[in-house]
């Protein structure tokens, strides 16, 4: 596992990306529960990799890779796959998953803001269910960093809790999401998990994200809003 160029001193106003935000996933048991709750599905990972054109030799970087399922599936098809995460517990889980499948992706203990991609520029950069860990100012910095590690014409994919509803309708949409998404303890993310997300984490509106993507140097190829609380963006670096 590699550590990115994080030894440069950061000014005291810099966002503390390595500190937990919202739900604390700082233990092995919490990470295992997270992997179970999110419903990790290698088939769904493969379907996404197919859509993004990831094949043997593709250089892929998954930012905030979590428990590493997408990175492992990319490595299994011969991609030069890199998983980046600020959580050493997440990376330990991801590394164990890779060992079970007999692959050896590159793992980097780093974050959205400080990961430095070495070697040839990536063909594909992805991030899922994680950019909401950063306030909007820092989301823009993260997207600029993602663009810097991606070759011109390369693909950027973003999936997250992103709000496509009108701001005036926020309370109703958030109540419905929390009321319907929460599961009993041990069967998925709980109501309290979603309440913590809305209260303590930094999900934002689609129109804000789209402006950030444009300013970071991306053209949006396609967008989808499967629910008013979630969005996926398939982008190309200009």
């Amino acid at each position: 596992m590699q550590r990115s160029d994080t030894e440069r001193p950061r000014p005291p106003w810099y966002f503390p990306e390595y500190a937990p935000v919202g739900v604390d996933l700082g233990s092995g048991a919490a990470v295992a529960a997270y992997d179970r709750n999110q419903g990790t599905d290698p088939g769904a990972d493969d379907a996404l990799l197919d859509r993004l054109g990831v094949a043997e030799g593709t250089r892929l970087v998954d930012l905030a890779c979590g428990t590493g399922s997408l990175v492992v599936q990319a490595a299994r098809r011969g991609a030069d796959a890199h998983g980046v995460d600020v959580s050493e517990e997440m990376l330990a889980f991801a590394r164990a998953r890779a060992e079970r499948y007999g692959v050896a992706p590159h793992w980097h203990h780093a974050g959205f803001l400080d990961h430095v991609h070495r070697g040839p520029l990536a063909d594909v950069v992805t991030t899922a269910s994680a950019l909401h860990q950063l306030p909007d100012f820092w989301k823009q910095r993260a997207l600029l960093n993602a663009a810097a590690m991606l070759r011109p014409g390369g693909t950027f994919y973003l999936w997250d809790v992103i709000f496509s509803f009108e701001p005036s309708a926020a309370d109703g949409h958030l109540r419905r999401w929390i009321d319907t998404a929460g599961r009993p303890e041990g069967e998925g993310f709980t109501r309290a998990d979603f309440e913590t997300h809305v209260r303590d984490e930094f999900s934002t509106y689609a129109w804000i994200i789209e402006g950030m993507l444009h300013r970071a140097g991306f053209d949006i190829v396609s967008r989808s809003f499967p629910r008013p609380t979630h969005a996926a963006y398939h982008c190309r670096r200009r």
Side-chain angles (χ1 to χ4, degrees):
M1 182 173 63
Q2 302 173 29
R3 182 71 183 262
S4 277
D5 183 17
T6 57
E7 304 224 345
R8 291 175 299 173
R10 298 295 186 186
W13 48 262
Y14 214 81
F15 185 75
E17 191 177 7
Y18 289 75
V21 174
V23 177
D24 187 359
L25 297 172
S27 72
V31 169
Y34 172 86
D35 188 70
R36 180 190 68 241
N37 290 341
Q38 72 173 349
T40 297
D41 180 357
D45 291 329
D46 276 327
L48 175 59
L49 293 169
D50 287 343
R51 294 202 303 276
L52 300 180
V54 175
E56 185 173 359
T58 300
R59 292 183 294 275
L60 175 140
V61 178
D62 188 26
L63 296 170
C65 66
T67 56
S69 181
L70 186 73
V71 177
V72 168
Q73 290 306 112
R76 292 181 72 193
R77 59 176 62 193
D80 177 16
H82 296 253
V84 180
D85 207 281
V86 297
S87 167
E88 293 187 85
E89 293 289 350
M90 286 284 195
L91 290 171
F93 193 102
R95 193 163 56 249
R97 169 173 272 139
E99 289 171 359
R100 289 197 301 274
Y101 281 102
V103 293
H106 308 280
W107 303 111
H108 307 270
H109 183 215
F112 282 113
L113 304 175
D114 65 8
H115 178 57
V116 178
H117 180 68
R118 309 293 185 184
L121 292 173
D123 302 299
V124 178
V125 173
T126 59
T127 187
S129 301
L131 194 61
H132 64 259
Q133 294 289 308
L134 302 178
D136 282 357
F137 174 85
W138 297 101
K139 286 186 184 71
Q140 185 69 80
R141 298 283 289 257
L143 291 171
L144 287 165
N145 194 30
M149 64 186 73
L150 187 63
R151 65 170 174 79
T155 295
F156 177 68
Y157 175 81
L158 166 66
W159 161 266
D160 210 339
V161 176
I162 296 170
F163 304 137
S164 57
F165 49 73
E166 287 297 318
S168 59
D171 285 3
H173 281 288
L174 293 173
R175 276 196 299 268
R176 281 190 292 276
W177 179 41
I178 292 168
D179 287 344
T180 58
R183 298 288 180 265
E185 189 73 42
E187 297 181 18
F189 293 114
T190 66
R191 180 186 181 90
D193 290 331
F194 291 108
E195 290 172 338
T196 297
H197 179 105
V198 173
R199 183 184 63 244
D200 297 344
E201 301 180 13
F202 305 105
S203 288
T204 194
Y205 287 103
W207 53 271
I208 295 175
I209 286 289
E210 291 179 15
M212 291 180 178
L213 289 167
H214 177 77
R215 287 178 180 272
F218 296 115
D219 292 325
I220 298 172
V221 176
S222 65
R223 54 173 70 76
S224 64
F225 304 103
R227 296 181 290 281
T229 52
H230 291 74
Y233 289 94
H234 182 170
C235 305
R236 181 176 295 113
R237 186 190 168 195
R238 289 194 293 275

